[in-house]
Amino acid sequence: MVKFPSHTAESHERVAPRRSNRSLYGFTLVELLVVIAVIGLLVSFILPALGSTRGLAHQIHCASNLKQLGIALRNHETMQGFFPPGYTSQSTVDPPPATRDADTWDAPPGWGWSSYLLAYLDAEHLASAISFDQPIWAAEHRDVVNQTLPYFLCPAAESVNPTFSVLDADANPLSIEGNPVEVGRSHYVASHGQESCWGECGASSTGTVFTDIYTSATTEIAIEGDASRVADGPFYRNSRTRVRDVQDGLSRTIFLGEHASDLSDKTWAGVIPGAYTHPRFSSPENGPDAAATLTLVHAGPSGGELDITGEPIIHSINFPTYHVGQMYSVHAGGGNVCLGDGSVRFVSDDVNLLVWAEWSSMAEGEAGKDLE
Amino acid sequence: MAGRFFAILLAVSLCLGCGGYPEISPTAYQYAKALYSVANRERSEKLDAVSHQIYESQREGKITEREAEWLRRIIDDARRGEWQTAQQVARQMMDDQVR
């Protein structure tokens, strides 16, 4: 007969009370609250870090998109001999097209700078579906211009519909030749320079431009529908900017930048006569602006306008007047711009205003200090 | 960097009691915009002229005494060489008008 070791019974005696103690042992309410507090504290430390990491990732993604657009610009210039037009418009043909806007002289076809880059952006299928001599709003383009393209969208910008209806002055859907126009969104805009020539300027016979941003000197010029007489940046109505036109240097001239849809709608398609861009939020100084701001922005100073103290008005990226015709980003502390050489820089909200203006014109010999 | 941030935060908080700027007059907004530009470009030579202009606007009733005081504080920051603080406070004044 097998005898079990006597320690079995003893161990029961020894162990049983311990088990009994353990069963009584648990978390007190205070301990639980302390643990919850510690976890809460850790989460409060981690969440902002995660948020800023996500923000940084979005900023890098945004910059990467802009870099692709910059390369496409250079490829366009190499192949065509000039950078794409800000947008195309039969503004000064005689007789003018029936759909030419009487107030701005914006006219068909309207294709914007981004649409001319499609062939250089792995989107040949869309480029080949476009008849660039026909209007954006032609029936054949209805299922083209409402396409969404990933490199035109910055993930940091507000997640709104990837397409939007082009609006009129009263913020109602614009109807042109009896049809509304639905276009694909873009979070990137091109620089018209310091000066702007859209809205009434586009149809004016004369206008005022700055000749010296340091002394606020201005002069009167004849415009007569030719935006090139006003624009001092690389993209404007019917622009065909060549490398040699960028006398300040490709690496010292802002070509492209961001405009998050949190402020207003922009499109890669182009400019529709009679359209307006409306701000999504209002400041005392922002409001609807003309159709050209669907694809273009400017830096100021412009049109001889001065502030209340007599200084030229310059609006750098995220300038707190929040015009729909300025660059705007939702990244913390600034936004990305693409220079003429295709390089991308992150520029601070607090960038020196004069430096911003200097880097926005392309041939005025002003770009002295570095853009930061 | 952190010190500068807290200095700006303190300056803005002292100005506002942490409540943000209320709605200001169009003229006060114009001055905030101009002072942002002055501070951004560190234009010390403009401060006296702008200060006088603000005084005149207050006298003419275009801006309230409270608005003038806020604007003068921005100028005071600038006079002390705290350009970034002045710029941030001017930006805050403008940002608080966004609706």
Side-chain angles (χ1 to χ4, degrees):
Chain A
M1 185 173 176
V2 178
K3 282 187 80 176
F4 289 100
S6 61
H7 75 265
T8 308
E10 289 167 12
S11 65
H12 271 280
E13 287 170 11
R14 284 199 304 270
V15 171
R18 281 207 298 270
R19 282 181 180 162
S20 173
N21 281 344
R22 277 184 184 166
S23 67
L24 288 172
Y25 192 80
F27 290 116
T28 66
L29 182 62
V30 172
E31 288 169 333
L32 200 61
L33 289 174
V34 167
V35 169
I36 290 170
V38 168
I39 291 172
L41 200 64
L42 288 173
V43 168
S44 71
F45 284 133
I46 292 167
L47 274 183
L50 284 177
S52 79
T53 305
R54 193 177 59 174
L56 186 62
H58 285 167
Q59 182 189 314
I60 292 168
H61 188 151
C62 246
S64 171
N65 286 349
L66 208 45
K67 180 78 181 168
Q68 283 192 67
L69 297 179
I71 292 169
L73 277 179
R74 295 306 312 272
N75 286 340
H76 185 286
E77 192 279 329
T78 301
M79 298 300 289
Q80 307 292 331
F82 55 89
F83 292 102
Y87 63 100
T88 48
S89 172
Q90 296 173 323
S91 301
T92 52
V93 297
D94 190 21
T99 48
R100 186 178 82 170
D101 182 54
D103 296 329
T104 66
W105 283 16
D106 284 334
W111 295 102
W113 61 273
S114 315
S115 64
Y116 290 94
L117 298 184
L118 294 174
Y120 307 94
L121 283 169
D122 204 20
E124 292 90 344
H125 63 293
L126 279 182
S128 61
I130 294 175
S131 302
F132 282 98
D133 58 343
Q134 295 300 309
I136 291 175
W137 57 93
E140 64 181 290
H141 296 134
R142 194 167 300 146
D143 294 327
V144 177
V145 297
N146 63 3
Q147 295 294 306
T148 306
L149 301 161
Y151 29 77
F152 291 141
L153 298 177
C154 171
E158 192 182 36
S159 298
V160 290
N161 291 339
T163 64
F164 64 93
S165 291
V166 175
L167 302 178
D168 65 15
D170 298 322
N172 297 315
L174 177 78
S175 177
I176 186 163
E177 295 186 315
N179 294 310
V181 188
E182 184 87 3
V183 289
R185 188 178 296 285
S186 175
H187 294 136
Y188 301 99
V189 285
S191 171
H192 195 280
Q194 296 167 4
E195 298 280 351
S196 62
C197 190
W198 48 70
E200 290 175 2
C201 173
S204 297
S205 54
T206 61
T208 305
V209 294
F210 281 96
T211 54
D212 188 330
I213 62 173
Y214 309 105
T215 63
S216 305
T218 60
T219 189
E220 292 291 313
I221 59 163
I223 301 174
E224 292 160 353
D226 184 356
S228 72
R229 297 178 184 178
V230 178
D232 50 3
F235 298 95
Y236 47 89
R237 187 163 74 188
N238 295 324
S239 61
R240 287 168 70 96
T241 301
R242 296 155 300 178
V243 168
R244 67 171 178 268
D245 298 325
V246 190
Q247 292 172 18
D248 289 349
L250 293 171
S251 61
R252 300 184 77 80
T253 304
I254 296 170
F255 270 48
L256 308 177
E258 295 184 59
H259 188 100
S261 44
D262 304 56
L263 176 52
S264 72
D265 294 330
K266 307 296 181 201
T267 176
W268 60 265
V271 173
I272 295 91
Y276 276 78
T277 306
H278 293 263
R280 287 182 181 278
F281 57 83
S282 68
S283 82
E285 274 204 0
N286 73 1
D289 207 343
T293 59
L294 286 166
T295 62
L296 302 177
V297 296
H298 77 119
S302 175
E305 287 183 342
L306 303 173
D307 70 21
I308 195 167
T309 66
E311 293 293 316
I313 301 166
I314 299 165
H315 34 81
S316 55
I317 189 161
N318 296 342
F319 190 71
T321 46
Y322 303 115
H323 293 168
V324 298
Q326 69 176 66
M327 290 189 189
Y328 177 73
S329 150
V330 290
H331 306 306
N336 297 301
V337 297
C338 177
L339 306 179
D341 63 356
S343 64
V344 174
R345 288 190 184 198
F346 188 80
V347 180
S348 163
D349 288 343
D350 299 331
V351 61
N352 183 292
L353 293 173
L354 212 50
V355 172
W356 178 263
E358 290 167 349
W359 283 62
S360 295
S361 62
M362 64 178 179
E364 294 177 349
E366 298 162 335
K369 291 182 184 170
D370 200 16
L371 181 70
E372 295 172 321
Chain B
M1 188 68 187
R4 186 180 288 171
F5 171 75
F6 284 115
I8 292 167
L9 196 67
L10 185 66
V12 173
S13 301
L14 284 174
C15 284
L16 311 175
C18 298
Y21 287 98
E23 187 173 347
I24 58 175
S25 63
T27 304
Y29 185 84
Q30 292 301 317
Y31 280 121
K33 184 172 76 168
L35 284 172
Y36 179 90
S37 175
V38 167
N40 173 278
R41 295 169 56 191
E42 301 187 6
R43 298 199 58 194
S44 51
E45 76 279 9
K46 287 277 293 184
L47 294 175
D48 284 342
V50 177
S51 183
H52 179 71
Q53 205 175 339
I54 288 169
Y55 169 77
E56 289 297 325
S57 292
Q58 184 191 348
R59 202 172 56 79
E60 292 164 9
K62 291 178 181 168
I63 60 173
T64 66
E65 187 181 339
R66 199 176 180 207
E67 290 168 343
E69 179 57 28
W70 287 332
L71 295 166
R72 272 194 284 272
R73 284 184 193 171
I74 297 173
I75 293 174
D76 289 343
D77 284 334
R79 283 207 171 104
R80 285 193 297 273
E82 294 169 10
W83 294 106
Q84 196 174 15
T85 303
Q87 186 179 340
Q88 290 302 327
V89 176
R91 175 182 279 272
Q92 188 67 50
M93 200 171 191
M94 295 172 76
D95 269 340
D96 287 344
Q97 307 311 308
V98 168
R99 301 285 181 262

mmCIF file with all atom_site columns, all heavy atoms in Angstrom, chain A residues 39 53 60 87 95 99 104 138 156 239 268 275 343:
data_model
loop_
_atom_site.group_PDB
_atom_site.id
_atom_site.type_symbol
_atom_site.label_atom_id
_atom_site.label_alt_id
_atom_site.label_comp_id
_atom_site.label_asym_id
_atom_site.label_entity_id
_atom_site.label_seq_id
_atom_site.pdbx_PDB_ins_code
_atom_site.Cartn_x
_atom_site.Cartn_y
_atom_site.Cartn_z
_atom_site.occupancy
_atom_site.B_iso_or_equiv
_atom_site.pdbx_formal_charge
_atom_site.auth_seq_id
_atom_site.auth_comp_id
_atom_site.auth_asym_id
_atom_site.auth_atom_id
_atom_site.pdbx_PDB_model_num
ATOM 1  N N   . ILE A 1 39  ? -3.615  56.164 -14.886 1.00 0.00 ? 39  ILE A N   1
ATOM 2  C CA  . ILE A 1 39  ? -3.854  55.868 -16.316 1.00 0.00 ? 39  ILE A CA  1
ATOM 3  C C   . ILE A 1 39  ? -4.307  57.138 -17.036 1.00 0.00 ? 39  ILE A C   1
ATOM 4  O O   . ILE A 1 39  ? -3.842  57.456 -18.129 1.00 0.00 ? 39  ILE A O   1
ATOM 5  C CB  . ILE A 1 39  ? -4.916  54.746 -16.457 1.00 0.00 ? 39  ILE A CB  1
ATOM 6  C CG1 . ILE A 1 39  ? -4.320  53.431 -15.957 1.00 0.00 ? 39  ILE A CG1 1
ATOM 7  C CG2 . ILE A 1 39  ? -5.366  54.607 -17.913 1.00 0.00 ? 39  ILE A CG2 1
ATOM 8  C CD1 . ILE A 1 39  ? -5.324  52.294 -15.856 1.00 0.00 ? 39  ILE A CD1 1
ATOM 9  N N   . THR A 1 53  ? 2.081   63.964 -33.447 1.00 0.00 ? 53  THR A N   1
ATOM 10 C CA  . THR A 1 53  ? 2.690   63.038 -34.414 1.00 0.00 ? 53  THR A CA  1
ATOM 11 C C   . THR A 1 53  ? 1.825   62.922 -35.655 1.00 0.00 ? 53  THR A C   1
ATOM 12 O O   . THR A 1 53  ? 2.312   62.943 -36.776 1.00 0.00 ? 53  THR A O   1
ATOM 13 C CB  . THR A 1 53  ? 2.864   61.641 -33.771 1.00 0.00 ? 53  THR A CB  1
ATOM 14 O OG1 . THR A 1 53  ? 3.610   61.792 -32.575 1.00 0.00 ? 53  THR A OG1 1
ATOM 15 C CG2 . THR A 1 53  ? 3.569   60.681 -34.703 1.00 0.00 ? 53  THR A CG2 1
ATOM 16 N N   . ILE A 1 60  ? 3.818   66.344 -43.460 1.00 0.00 ? 60  ILE A N   1
ATOM 17 C CA  . ILE A 1 60  ? 4.778   65.718 -44.380 1.00 0.00 ? 60  ILE A CA  1
ATOM 18 C C   . ILE A 1 60  ? 4.061   65.232 -45.642 1.00 0.00 ? 60  ILE A C   1
ATOM 19 O O   . ILE A 1 60  ? 4.545   65.409 -46.757 1.00 0.00 ? 60  ILE A O   1
ATOM 20 C CB  . ILE A 1 60  ? 5.517   64.557 -43.666 1.00 0.00 ? 60  ILE A CB  1
ATOM 21 C CG1 . ILE A 1 60  ? 6.436   65.132 -42.578 1.00 0.00 ? 60  ILE A CG1 1
ATOM 22 C CG2 . ILE A 1 60  ? 6.304   63.709 -44.655 1.00 0.00 ? 60  ILE A CG2 1
ATOM 23 C CD1 . ILE A 1 60  ? 6.992   64.098 -41.639 1.00 0.00 ? 60  ILE A CD1 1
ATOM 24 N N   . TYR A 1 87  ? -4.783  80.194 -65.525 1.00 0.00 ? 87  TYR A N   1
ATOM 25 C CA  . TYR A 1 87  ? -5.970  79.596 -66.134 1.00 0.00 ? 87  TYR A CA  1
ATOM 26 C C   . TYR A 1 87  ? -6.128  80.227 -67.512 1.00 0.00 ? 87  TYR A C   1
ATOM 27 O O   . TYR A 1 87  ? -5.609  81.315 -67.770 1.00 0.00 ? 87  TYR A O   1
ATOM 28 C CB  . TYR A 1 87  ? -7.236  79.780 -65.278 1.00 0.00 ? 87  TYR A CB  1
ATOM 29 C CG  . TYR A 1 87  ? -7.683  81.202 -65.043 1.00 0.00 ? 87  TYR A CG  1
ATOM 30 C CD1 . TYR A 1 87  ? -8.723  81.771 -65.802 1.00 0.00 ? 87  TYR A CD1 1
ATOM 31 C CD2 . TYR A 1 87  ? -7.108  81.983 -64.056 1.00 0.00 ? 87  TYR A CD2 1
ATOM 32 C CE1 . TYR A 1 87  ? -9.161  83.064 -65.569 1.00 0.00 ? 87  TYR A CE1 1
ATOM 33 C CE2 . TYR A 1 87  ? -7.533  83.284 -63.821 1.00 0.00 ? 87  TYR A CE2 1
ATOM 34 C CZ  . TYR A 1 87  ? -8.554  83.822 -64.580 1.00 0.00 ? 87  TYR A CZ  1
ATOM 35 O OH  . TYR A 1 87  ? -8.981  85.106 -64.352 1.00 0.00 ? 87  TYR A OH  1
ATOM 36 N N   . PRO A 1 95  ? -15.414 88.942 -81.539 1.00 0.00 ? 95  PRO A N   1
ATOM 37 C CA  . PRO A 1 95  ? -16.289 89.264 -80.415 1.00 0.00 ? 95  PRO A CA  1
ATOM 38 C C   . PRO A 1 95  ? -16.061 88.308 -79.244 1.00 0.00 ? 95  PRO A C   1
ATOM 39 O O   . PRO A 1 95  ? -15.636 87.166 -79.464 1.00 0.00 ? 95  PRO A O   1
ATOM 40 C CB  . PRO A 1 95  ? -17.693 89.072 -80.999 1.00 0.00 ? 95  PRO A CB  1
ATOM 41 C CG  . PRO A 1 95  ? -17.508 88.021 -82.043 1.00 0.00 ? 95  PRO A CG  1
ATOM 42 C CD  . PRO A 1 95  ? -16.152 88.255 -82.631 1.00 0.00 ? 95  PRO A CD  1
ATOM 43 N N   . THR A 1 99  ? -20.348 83.522 -72.961 1.00 0.00 ? 99  THR A N   1
ATOM 44 C CA  . THR A 1 99  ? -20.255 83.231 -71.523 1.00 0.00 ? 99  THR A CA  1
ATOM 45 C C   . THR A 1 99  ? -19.155 84.040 -70.831 1.00 0.00 ? 99  THR A C   1
ATOM 46 O O   . THR A 1 99  ? -18.852 83.786 -69.668 1.00 0.00 ? 99  THR A O   1
ATOM 47 C CB  . THR A 1 99  ? -19.990 81.729 -71.289 1.00 0.00 ? 99  THR A CB  1
ATOM 48 O OG1 . THR A 1 99  ? -18.920 81.314 -72.143 1.00 0.00 ? 99  THR A OG1 1
ATOM 49 C CG2 . THR A 1 99  ? -21.233 80.899 -71.556 1.00 0.00 ? 99  THR A CG2 1
ATOM 50 N N   . THR A 1 104 ? -15.704 90.609 -64.970 1.00 0.00 ? 104 THR A N   1
ATOM 51 C CA  . THR A 1 104 ? -14.301 90.189 -64.797 1.00 0.00 ? 104 THR A CA  1
ATOM 52 C C   . THR A 1 104 ? -13.592 89.872 -66.110 1.00 0.00 ? 104 THR A C   1
ATOM 53 O O   . THR A 1 104 ? -12.374 89.728 -66.127 1.00 0.00 ? 104 THR A O   1
ATOM 54 C CB  . THR A 1 104 ? -14.225 88.924 -63.925 1.00 0.00 ? 104 THR A CB  1
ATOM 55 O OG1 . THR A 1 104 ? -14.848 87.844 -64.640 1.00 0.00 ? 104 THR A OG1 1
ATOM 56 C CG2 . THR A 1 104 ? -14.912 89.124 -62.586 1.00 0.00 ? 104 THR A CG2 1
ATOM 57 N N   . ALA A 1 138 ? -18.349 72.178 -70.283 1.00 0.00 ? 138 ALA A N   1
ATOM 58 C CA  . ALA A 1 138 ? -18.944 71.469 -71.424 1.00 0.00 ? 138 ALA A CA  1
ATOM 59 C C   . ALA A 1 138 ? -19.419 70.085 -70.966 1.00 0.00 ? 138 ALA A C   1
ATOM 60 O O   . ALA A 1 138 ? -18.810 69.478 -70.075 1.00 0.00 ? 138 ALA A O   1
ATOM 61 C CB  . ALA A 1 138 ? -17.923 71.332 -72.542 1.00 0.00 ? 138 ALA A CB  1
ATOM 62 N N   . ALA A 1 156 ? -4.491  67.088 -43.790 1.00 0.00 ? 156 ALA A N   1
ATOM 63 C CA  . ALA A 1 156 ? -4.685  67.954 -42.618 1.00 0.00 ? 156 ALA A CA  1
ATOM 64 C C   . ALA A 1 156 ? -5.910  68.844 -42.779 1.00 0.00 ? 156 ALA A C   1
ATOM 65 O O   . ALA A 1 156 ? -6.487  69.294 -41.793 1.00 0.00 ? 156 ALA A O   1
ATOM 66 C CB  . ALA A 1 156 ? -3.452  68.827 -42.410 1.00 0.00 ? 156 ALA A CB  1
ATOM 67 N N   . SER A 1 239 ? -1.310  83.129 -68.399 1.00 0.00 ? 239 SER A N   1
ATOM 68 C CA  . SER A 1 239 ? 0.154   83.225 -68.243 1.00 0.00 ? 239 SER A CA  1
ATOM 69 C C   . SER A 1 239 ? 0.853   82.109 -69.013 1.00 0.00 ? 239 SER A C   1
ATOM 70 O O   . SER A 1 239 ? 0.304   81.012 -69.190 1.00 0.00 ? 239 SER A O   1
ATOM 71 C CB  . SER A 1 239 ? 0.532   83.162 -66.765 1.00 0.00 ? 239 SER A CB  1
ATOM 72 O OG  . SER A 1 239 ? 0.134   81.933 -66.177 1.00 0.00 ? 239 SER A OG  1
ATOM 73 N N   . TRP A 1 268 ? -8.911  71.925 -58.756 1.00 0.00 ? 268 TRP A N   1
ATOM 74 C CA  . TRP A 1 268 ? -7.821  71.724 -59.716 1.00 0.00 ? 268 TRP A CA  1
ATOM 75 C C   . TRP A 1 268 ? -8.305  72.054 -61.133 1.00 0.00 ? 268 TRP A C   1
ATOM 76 O O   . TRP A 1 268 ? -7.480  72.273 -62.031 1.00 0.00 ? 268 TRP A O   1
ATOM 77 C CB  . TRP A 1 268 ? -7.294  70.286 -59.665 1.00 0.00 ? 268 TRP A CB  1
ATOM 78 C CG  . TRP A 1 268 ? -8.317  69.230 -59.981 1.00 0.00 ? 268 TRP A CG  1
ATOM 79 C CD1 . TRP A 1 268 ? -9.075  68.521 -59.095 1.00 0.00 ? 268 TRP A CD1 1
ATOM 80 C CD2 . TRP A 1 268 ? -8.714  68.775 -61.288 1.00 0.00 ? 268 TRP A CD2 1
ATOM 81 N NE1 . TRP A 1 268 ? -9.921  67.672 -59.758 1.00 0.00 ? 268 TRP A NE1 1
ATOM 82 C CE2 . TRP A 1 268 ? -9.713  67.795 -61.102 1.00 0.00 ? 268 TRP A CE2 1
ATOM 83 C CE3 . TRP A 1 268 ? -8.328  69.092 -62.585 1.00 0.00 ? 268 TRP A CE3 1
ATOM 84 C CZ2 . TRP A 1 268 ? -10.325 67.132 -62.171 1.00 0.00 ? 268 TRP A CZ2 1
ATOM 85 C CZ3 . TRP A 1 268 ? -8.938  68.439 -63.658 1.00 0.00 ? 268 TRP A CZ3 1
ATOM 86 C CH2 . TRP A 1 268 ? -9.917  67.465 -63.439 1.00 0.00 ? 268 TRP A CH2 1
ATOM 87 N N   . ALA A 1 275 ? -18.287 82.765 -61.286 1.00 0.00 ? 275 ALA A N   1
ATOM 88 C CA  . ALA A 1 275 ? -18.214 82.066 -59.995 1.00 0.00 ? 275 ALA A CA  1
ATOM 89 C C   . ALA A 1 275 ? -17.615 82.982 -58.927 1.00 0.00 ? 275 ALA A C   1
ATOM 90 O O   . ALA A 1 275 ? -16.948 83.980 -59.240 1.00 0.00 ? 275 ALA A O   1
ATOM 91 C CB  . ALA A 1 275 ? -17.364 80.812 -60.136 1.00 0.00 ? 275 ALA A CB  1
ATOM 92 N N   . SER A 1 343 ? 11.393  72.781 -55.062 1.00 0.00 ? 343 SER A N   1
ATOM 93 C CA  . SER A 1 343 ? 11.644  72.494 -53.647 1.00 0.00 ? 343 SER A CA  1
ATOM 94 C C   . SER A 1 343 ? 10.480  72.980 -52.806 1.00 0.00 ? 343 SER A C   1
ATOM 95 O O   . SER A 1 343 ? 9.758   73.903 -53.194 1.00 0.00 ? 343 SER A O   1
ATOM 96 C CB  . SER A 1 343 ? 12.948  73.144 -53.188 1.00 0.00 ? 343 SER A CB  1
ATOM 97 O OG  . SER A 1 343 ? 12.850  74.544 -53.264 1.00 0.00 ? 343 SER A OG  1
#
